[in-house]
Amino acid sequence: MAQTAFLRFSLTLLALGVSSCRLPEAAPAPAPAPSSMPGNGPKAEVPTARVRLTPATFSEPAPAARQAVAGEPPQLFRLGAGLWEVPAPRAGNGLYLALASPEWPTEGTPLQLQVEGAAPNPPEEGAVSIATEATTSRLAACGASLAEATDPAPPASARRLLTVATAQDQEPFWIIRAGLPAPPGEAYDEVERVCRRVHSGKGCHVYLDQRLAVEDAIAEARALGEAFDDQLLPGVSRLFGPAPQPGIDGDARIFLVISPDVSADGRTGTLAYFARRDQRTRGDGTPSGRHSNQRDALFIDARTLVASRRADLYTAVAHELGHLLHFTQHAPKLPPGTSEKLWLEEALAMLASHACGYTLETAPSMYHHVAGFLAQPHKYSLTDWPGNPGQAGYGVGYLFLLYLQERFGEALITEIVQGSLVGKAQVEKVLQGQGSSFQEAFGDWALAVLNDGLFEQPGSPWCYPHTQLRTSTPHGPLKGPAVMRLGPEGAQVPRRADVAYFFHVRPLPDRRLLGVRLQGPGRLAGMVP
């Protein structure tokens, strides 16, 4: 039921221009079949391509495999299309392969991976710790977001109010009950609530639904405001750039509005959201702008307004603050009718939480997103957000941008946020400035995911300098990426761009060399323990 609610929530928000976060659930529920999702028709099947692992005899000469890191055990190889000779692993080990597919050719072009001299057996426990699908499927705190270009940025001329109301001790706010269907003729299911200001700090005003005017709630709301000023706003601003000055409402501070209506009194599980419509003026003639709050605002559910849930709450608020700062920095530079690609928008928001100290080791939601991806990496595309089966899409985007940040520095992330392009085009542009490219970085990242926590060398591009993907955390273990089980006929993989596939094979007895052939697109890397 929790997973079904999340999917229903995702689909509803596709038309809202709202990004939001959800609470973690205590127990997971299996994802429903696409045809059972409310409001969603039968989902188109994702075309597949066969990846074959087949014993073969190669008649043509094989070039020696290029050893990427000389003299380092294990041997790391960056391969490519064609035929390669790779030294057979030592006794008891296998050859691990990472195939990154940053693009697909036209339909009908084959993708074939052949390994000569290897036994096509399922992976076994060996020298390398590999995750299993049972690692995690638990829902995590950050929820769905808007579809691409559903509510594009208004022109800059329409974002500044001619007359600005200063912050009052009591103000009415239109609150979206995110995840509920909109009534006929309305853009959202929403209610207007009068909220009371309980805190004003350096960077925020905190408003509490007047129905919650009790001592404990007021104290926690003020604690949130202080954490926002001291930790969240500085952390996200350092990475993304400053908050709007003065913003649509002429006030340099961001409004944090707390109400149980954010989750429809617990019916939707929404924890927090940022709505693009609040960046519109009410007279701009759009349906979403009719009830714009005309504020730089974040809306927060009241159910986690307790000291024991601060990590969940603050992680989510940092995530939504990332959406707000990204939107206000980036959207005005885009052509009319253009919005950021959803995968990049959400990956950046995950980095916003990370910048505030809420990492995969310190925050439960961040851990579960990453662990969910590592358990089934072949099911998740970095860029095909709608085609991903669950919330671990947050994990793959987070890990990719985190890799770029640790390898190239925070300035690269700031350049992505503040650029004038969207999606892969913007990432490609900033990587070219580093002498790299999206395809090259995506292939390096796939090998880093496989190798991290195993055989790392300082300065190597094939590991995370500061993050461990094989480690114990307070929330559970991380064991690296799960490998695909390959039989004699190979394995079917989704015909999708920007997916990393991981394989493990063992050599036949007395083999000193393995022949590896890649036909089709992608970047292939091998690791011999």
Side-chain angles (χ1 to χ4, degrees):
M1 300 247 336
Q3 187 82 330
T4 304
F6 164 70
L7 291 169
R8 182 186 303 117
F9 170 53
S10 304
L11 295 167
T12 303
L13 292 187
L14 293 183
L16 297 190
V18 175
S19 65
S20 68
C21 290
R22 284 176 47 86
L23 283 166
E25 301 289 343
S35 60
S36 68
M37 300 176 190
N40 189 29
K43 189 173 182 178
E45 294 186 5
V46 177
T48 59
R50 182 169 292 282
V51 173
R52 291 187 180 274
L53 173 69
T54 55
T57 301
F58 299 137
S59 58
E60 60 187 271
R66 178 162 55 97
Q67 187 171 324
V69 182
E72 176 189 351
Q75 299 176 80
L76 301 179
F77 303 95
R78 294 182 67 185
L79 312 177
L83 178 62
W84 303 84
E85 285 184 347
V86 179
R90 298 186 298 273
N93 291 315
L95 170 66
Y96 291 84
L97 296 170
L99 174 62
S101 63
E103 62 182 13
W104 278 100
T106 59
E107 185 69 27
T109 304
L111 169 66
Q112 192 173 71
L113 173 63
Q114 294 177 294
V115 181
E116 187 270 334
N121 297 322
E124 301 172 2
E125 291 295 329
V128 180
S129 178
I130 298 295
T132 66
E133 291 190 6
T135 298
T136 180
S137 60
R138 181 182 174 186
L139 295 179
C142 292
S145 184
L146 66 163
E148 300 170 10
T150 54
D151 195 7
S157 59
R159 293 186 60 248
R160 182 61 58 83
L161 300 177
L162 297 179
T163 58
V164 179
T166 58
Q168 304 295 314
D169 289 336
Q170 287 190 336
E171 286 201 27
F173 291 93
W174 283 100
I175 300 173
I176 299 171
R177 296 193 284 199
L180 296 183
E186 298 292 336
Y188 312 98
D189 185 312
E190 56 187 329
V191 293
E192 188 176 34
R193 299 294 187 196
V194 175
C195 299
R196 171 187 170 191
R197 183 169 56 173
V198 296
H199 174 82
S200 285
K202 296 176 293 183
C204 68
H205 300 292
V206 182
Y207 282 81
L208 188 63
D209 191 312
Q210 66 177 2
R211 298 171 297 169
L212 302 176
V214 296
E215 184 175 345
D216 289 347
I218 294 173
E220 279 302 310
R222 289 172 175 166
L224 170 61
E226 293 170 356
F228 187 90
D229 284 347
D230 297 338
Q231 178 186 359
L232 305 186
L233 184 58
V236 182
S237 298
R238 184 188 73 248
L239 190 62
F240 282 32
Q245 300 293 334
I248 185 174
D249 50 16
D251 194 317
R253 288 171 284 194
I254 294 171
F255 286 66
L256 307 181
V257 182
I258 304 169
S259 171
D261 287 303
V262 169
S263 68
D265 293 303
R267 283 181 283 168
T268 67
T270 307
L271 182 54
Y273 73 79
F274 159 69
R276 296 180 176 189
R277 69 90 181 264
D278 290 330
Q279 294 290 312
R280 294 185 175 277
T281 57
R282 290 180 183 171
D284 71 355
T286 63
S288 62
R290 186 170 65 165
H291 287 160
S292 169
N293 288 298
Q294 302 180 133
R295 295 289 193 188
D296 297 314
L298 305 178
F299 290 81
I300 300 159
D301 186 52
R303 292 178 304 137
T304 53
L305 202 62
V306 292
S308 62
R309 301 303 303 276
R310 286 182 181 178
D312 288 329
L313 179 62
Y314 295 1
T315 301
V317 173
H319 182 105
E320 298 306 319
L321 176 60
H323 283 308
L324 190 158
L325 297 193
H326 180 208
F327 184 81
T328 54
Q329 290 272 353
H330 183 57
K333 301 175 183 178
L334 301 181
T338 304
S339 284
E340 182 59 88
K341 300 299 183 182
L342 182 55
W343 71 269
L344 184 55
E345 182 175 317
E346 292 298 342
L348 287 168
M350 293 292 286
L351 276 192
S353 296
H354 183 96
C356 297
Y358 299 105
T359 70
L360 60 86
E361 293 187 345
T362 63
S365 62
M366 306 290 277
Y367 165 82
H368 287 295
H369 287 311
V370 169
F373 162 68
L374 293 177
Q376 297 177 306
H378 60 284
K379 293 186 177 181
Y380 286 89
S381 165
L382 173 65
T383 59
D384 179 20
W385 182 275
N388 287 333
Q391 292 196 64
Y394 289 97
V396 60
Y398 169 47
L399 286 182
F400 180 70
L401 287 194
L402 182 61
Y403 169 77
L404 297 185
Q405 176 178 305
E406 292 192 2
R407 180 177 172 185
F408 297 110
E410 289 187 347
L412 180 137
I413 302 301
T414 305
E415 191 176 349
I416 292 175
V417 170
Q418 298 180 357
S420 58
L421 302 175
V422 299
K424 289 173 68 172
Q426 181 62 30
V427 177
E428 176 75 27
K429 180 179 179 180
V430 300
L431 285 173
Q432 286 178 352
Q434 299 290 333
S436 184
S437 67
F438 183 90
Q439 287 197 8
E440 181 177 355
F442 189 78
D444 290 343
W445 167 75
L447 182 53
V449 170
L450 178 62
N451 182 49
D452 193 70
L454 291 175
F455 305 95
E456 301 182 15
Q457 291 290 319
S460 169
W462 302 300
C463 62
Y464 282 79
H466 309 298
T467 297
Q468 287 293 321
L469 300 186
R470 287 180 174 84
T471 186
S472 295
T473 78
H475 319 294
L478 292 176
K479 299 181 179 181
V483 294
M484 295 187 71
R485 292 177 174 267
L486 298 171
E489 295 303 316
Q492 294 283 357
V493 299
R495 192 178 180 86
R496 303 167 68 196
D498 307 314
V499 179
Y501 304 102
F502 302 97
F503 305 93
H504 177 216
V505 299
R506 294 187 184 278
L508 294 169
D510 301 324
R511 291 292 303 216
R512 294 189 175 183
L513 292 174
L514 297 178
V516 179
R517 184 202 298 272
L518 175 65
Q519 180 181 357
R523 288 178 174 262
L524 181 65
M527 185 176 74
V528 180

